[in-house]
Amino acid sequence: MPARSRSSRTTRTADTHDVASTARKSAQLRRTRSGQLRASQTVKAMLRLRQLILDGHLKPGERVPELALVKHTGVSRTPIRAALIQLAEEGLLEPSSSGGFVVREFDEQEVFDAIDLRGTLEGAAARRAAERHLSHEQLAPMRDCVGAMDAIANSRKLDLQHFSDYVRLNEEFHRLLVVMANSAVLGRAIDRVLALPFASPSAFVLAQSALPHAQKILTTAQQHHRAILRAIASGDADEAERLAREHSTLAKRNLRTANAQETQMRRVVGGNLIRLTHGHHSLSKPAHRSSLRHKSTNR
């Protein structure tokens, strides 16, 4: 066979392989993009649905209307269903006996259990951080955060803006606690607990803002923050863990305080999901036709 013929056949074979390889890569890229789009749509649906629940548009015990959510969010049913499953895993929804999902209601003990679990995990994070014997530079972000919160707690008169700033800084303090532990396992476990909004460190802070002893509450919390920082800085793992666990009990105390005044519970994110008894009355309202379903019907 002439050399030119063999060379031509080899070139054609290589070209065929290149075309096939390009086709495979293109198909893989399309699948990747499609998967990313579905994941993005699921996240969008989950965030929107979570907000509808926390804002009280969907009440405890109410069935989640899938078709209304499709119209309300502009997301197809497949991502909506994936979002519902995810929120059920987080604990905000539960399966309905008649199919689909309903919004969960939580009693006081369940809230306390979630707060206790967060305290246990943050105690482990504080212990881990102390055991790492962090440098002065590594502790600087938490030191700055505590200093900024001190300035708020020491203000002569607190207003709603002070409390809003304190919430942001308090969330940062607890985030830094997990960062300094440098444990992905602890981080994931704490994130799962925090999926329940009233289990977060700042869940009941804004509910305290109108109370006459609000300044004292912040002062006590700040004493805890400074003590936790000192224990971590000195490498005292036992003390750091004990203090972090004790610190979480403030949230339970604040919940009891908010329970005494229904107007304060309205300031709690997700407070509409909590069944608290004030005398003989429940602070959680019974389910009725959702505003979401009503709005979608009248479009």
Side-chain angles (χ1 to χ4, degrees):
M1 180 182 295
R4 180 177 296 178
S5 178
R6 285 197 302 270
S7 175
S8 177
R9 183 176 298 176
T10 300
T11 300
R12 286 197 301 272
T13 302
D15 288 344
T16 301
H17 287 162
D18 288 344
V19 170
S21 176
T22 300
R24 284 194 300 271
K25 289 179 180 178
S26 297
Q28 184 178 9
L29 182 60
R30 285 195 298 273
R31 287 194 297 271
T32 299
R33 287 175 175 170
S34 177
Q36 289 173 342
L37 178 60
R38 283 196 299 272
S40 173
Q41 293 294 296
T42 298
V43 170
K44 176 184 175 182
M46 189 170 66
L47 292 175
R48 187 70 186 108
L49 178 54
R50 180 196 293 275
Q51 199 61 47
L52 288 169
I53 294 170
L54 299 183
D55 288 346
H57 294 294
L58 293 170
K59 308 296 183 184
E62 182 179 350
R63 191 175 187 278
V64 179
E66 284 188 30
L67 288 177
L69 283 173
V70 169
K71 294 179 180 179
H72 190 77
T73 63
V75 176
S76 65
R77 294 191 72 169
T78 298
I80 290 289
R81 286 172 178 165
L84 292 173
I85 292 171
Q86 180 63 39
L87 290 176
E89 290 177 355
E90 291 182 3
L92 285 177
L93 302 176
E94 59 186 357
S96 169
S97 57
S98 59
F101 294 90
V102 297
V103 178
R104 270 200 68 189
E105 182 180 59
F106 300 84
D107 61 31
E108 185 174 302
Q109 188 56 54
E110 288 178 304
V111 178
F112 285 170
D113 288 344
I115 293 171
D116 284 339
L117 180 55
R118 174 174 63 80
T120 299
L121 293 170
E122 288 188 336
R127 166 176 285 278
R128 180 79 178 90
E131 288 173 342
R132 295 184 65 213
H133 299 285
L134 300 170
S135 68
H136 184 82
E137 289 74 18
Q138 289 173 309
L139 289 167
M142 179 173 279
R143 192 179 300 107
D144 292 343
C145 183
V146 170
M149 284 192 288
D150 277 338
I152 294 174
N154 294 332
S155 298
R156 295 184 63 182
K157 186 176 181 180
L158 296 174
D159 56 25
L160 190 57
Q161 185 58 52
H162 283 116
F163 276 91
S164 297
D165 291 341
Y166 187 88
V167 165
R168 175 179 54 79
L169 291 165
N170 189 47
E171 294 289 342
E172 177 66 5
F173 176 90
H174 288 266
R175 185 191 71 81
L176 289 170
L177 187 62
V178 179
V179 169
M180 293 193 305
N182 194 33
S183 170
V185 173
L186 277 174
R188 286 194 296 269
I190 291 173
D191 283 344
R192 186 169 180 81
V193 175
L194 296 182
L196 299 176
F198 40 77
S200 75
S202 299
F204 304 104
V205 172
L206 288 179
Q208 306 159 10
S209 60
L211 298 177
H213 55 289
Q215 187 120 21
K216 183 179 179 181
I217 294 173
L218 288 195
T219 300
T220 301
Q222 275 309 97
Q223 291 171 350
H224 286 195
H225 290 147
R226 286 194 298 270
I228 292 169
L229 176 57
R230 281 196 301 269
I232 292 174
S234 64
D236 190 340
D238 289 342
E239 182 70 353
E241 180 174 15
R242 184 190 70 79
L243 288 168
R245 295 185 68 161
E246 180 184 342
H247 180 58
S248 70
T249 63
L250 284 179
K252 293 197 290 187
R253 189 188 312 169
N254 296 337
L255 172 58
R256 292 190 184 99
T257 301
N259 182 23
Q261 300 185 41
E262 184 174 351
T263 55
Q264 299 307 315
M265 279 303 298
R266 296 193 186 117
R267 295 174 179 261
V268 177
V269 177
N272 57 299
L273 305 178
I274 305 174
R275 187 177 69 251
L276 297 174
T277 53
H278 180 48
H280 297 289
H281 302 284
S282 171
L283 295 183
S284 174
K285 302 296 187 294
H288 55 79
R289 190 184 185 196
S290 75
S291 58
L292 173 64
R293 190 189 304 273
H294 179 71
K295 287 177 184 176
S296 65
T297 304
N298 288 286
R299 281 188 174 185

